[in-house]
Amino acid sequence: MSARLYTGILALSLAVLAGCGGQGEQNTAAPAGEGASPDSGQNKPRLVQDHVAACMKEQGFKYISYTPSDVKTEEDRKMESGDYETMKKYRSKYGYGSFAFEVYPEHRDSGARRSPNPNDKMTGSLSAAQRTAYDKAHNACSLSAAKSVLGMKVSKYDDILKEQVAVMTGMRQRILDGDPNLVQLAQKFGDCMKAKGYEITSMKPTNIVGRGASTFIQERSKVLGLDDGPPEEGEGKKLSPTQARAYLAKEIKDALDDLECGKDFYAAYTPKETEVFDQVRQDYSVESGIIW
């Protein structure tokens, strides 16, 4: 789980993938996939992995059950708790994490890391044709696990991500937007930002938390000519560190104003969002998409 999650990037990603985008009002109806997982209490990630391993064996491939865990630093844990000083240190250098990529290349690898996957060594030794066949089998086995172990109503591998996003969106709206304390803190947060001259189009906790990241990710996409979606390899513009630094300065100012206004909000909101994230990760643990 990357520290950048808590600057609002996950919120934006969920909004875009769920088809709602930006800060606009979201559909509060429970998604079709929510509640489709087995009863709580089971080790669902392990059940999924055991299913995938058995399925891969039937397909003629070796696969070791792998239930990844995050290797977190003290800074990662403080970010997850909404610690003001840790967030301020991060934002003072990286802003929301958008234009920092060109200025600080090491930022791409910042945040918590995953435990080693025991299958990487084996897959790294496969030829291109073998790897294609392996990936095809793994996707099919993951789809099978999603349906039979987790009860997800999916017909193709890409549907797994859509289901994860639908569940995460629904839980965030119900648990976070439905929390009276967070609603009150979000109102205070938004009023403060408005007083500083920022445009706030929604006071919902799950919308206001992603306002800043959304603004600068969209601006970065516009600058790079990516308005129509992710570019094909080699397409799109590139920013030099000098060019990106000018945009980053603006982003940092926004991020620090956002943090000052939302200091109390983040301290209450971030730990709760972490709990939601971890619950969905436990209940829908299939290797697909941003959730993992």
Side-chain angles (χ1 to χ4, degrees):
M1 188 186 311
S2 170
R4 290 190 292 278
L5 166 66
Y6 300 103
T7 65
I9 290 180
L10 175 63
L12 172 66
S13 300
L14 288 166
V16 171
L17 288 167
C20 28
Q23 278 195 83
E25 295 300 315
Q26 300 176 12
N27 180 7
T28 57
E34 192 167 351
S37 65
D39 294 335
S40 298
Q42 300 182 58
N43 188 339
K44 296 167 201 171
R46 172 56 62 186
L47 292 175
V48 166
Q49 284 296 299
D50 287 347
H51 181 100
V52 171
C55 176
M56 290 291 281
K57 184 177 181 179
E58 290 178 359
Q59 298 292 321
F61 292 100
K62 179 180 179 180
Y63 182 83
I64 302 172
S65 293
Y66 166 61
T67 309
S69 59
D70 290 331
V71 181
K72 300 178 184 179
T73 65
E74 181 62 22
E75 184 178 21
D76 294 328
R77 285 186 281 270
K78 286 183 177 180
M79 286 289 280
E80 291 180 4
S81 72
D83 180 74
Y84 170 77
E85 292 298 335
T86 303
M87 293 181 71
K88 183 176 181 179
K89 178 182 177 181
Y90 176 92
R91 292 188 177 201
S92 295
K93 183 174 183 179
Y94 300 120
Y96 297 106
S98 180
F99 285 101
F101 287 117
E102 287 84 7
V103 181
Y104 302 105
E106 74 279 5
H107 176 60
R108 295 177 183 273
D109 299 320
S110 66
R113 286 151 292 281
R114 311 299 293 278
S115 56
N117 186 336
N119 297 291
D120 287 345
K121 184 176 181 180
M122 183 273 294
T123 56
S125 66
L126 298 177
S127 67
Q130 289 173 327
R131 183 58 190 262
T132 297
Y134 179 94
D135 288 343
K136 182 178 180 180
H138 185 266
N139 286 356
C141 290
S142 295
L143 179 63
S144 174
K147 291 191 289 187
S148 63
V149 179
L150 300 179
M152 296 172 75
K153 297 178 181 180
V154 291
S155 59
K156 57 183 183 295
Y157 184 73
D158 290 346
D159 289 343
I160 296 173
L161 173 58
K162 294 178 182 178
E163 181 95 351
Q164 291 169 340
V165 169
V167 173
M168 176 67 88
T169 300
M171 287 186 66
R172 291 174 78 245
Q173 290 174 343
R174 187 180 71 254
I175 297 173
L176 303 175
D177 289 339
D179 186 307
N181 182 50
L182 293 182
V183 170
Q184 184 177 16
L185 290 172
Q187 182 70 46
K188 177 183 175 183
F189 180 10
D191 289 342
C192 176
M193 290 298 286
K194 286 182 178 180
K196 289 180 178 289
Y198 292 93
E199 180 180 5
I200 305 297
T201 60
S202 174
M203 293 289 197
K204 281 187 176 182
T206 59
N207 286 336
I208 199 168
V209 74
R211 176 209 62 84
S214 173
T215 298
F216 286 94
I217 287 176
Q218 291 175 10
E219 183 170 349
R220 186 173 189 271
S221 294
K222 184 176 180 179
V223 170
L224 295 176
L226 307 180
D227 294 321
D228 294 327
E232 296 297 328
E233 187 174 355
E235 292 184 350
K237 302 176 183 177
K238 292 184 179 180
L239 289 177
S240 69
T242 300
Q243 291 173 317
R245 197 176 295 277
Y247 290 103
L248 179 58
K250 178 182 176 183
E251 182 181 341
I252 288 173
K253 182 182 184 307
D254 185 302
L256 290 176
D257 284 345
D258 179 275
L259 180 59
E260 290 303 318
C261 284
K263 180 178 180 179
D264 294 337
F265 170 82
Y266 284 113
Y269 177 94
T270 307
K272 289 182 178 292
E273 183 174 60
T274 300
E275 291 177 3
V276 172
F277 180 96
D278 289 343
Q279 185 61 54
V280 175
R281 189 178 185 183
Q282 166 68 21
D283 289 347
Y284 293 83
S285 187
V286 180
E287 291 183 31
S288 173
I290 61 169
I291 302 302
W292 324 126

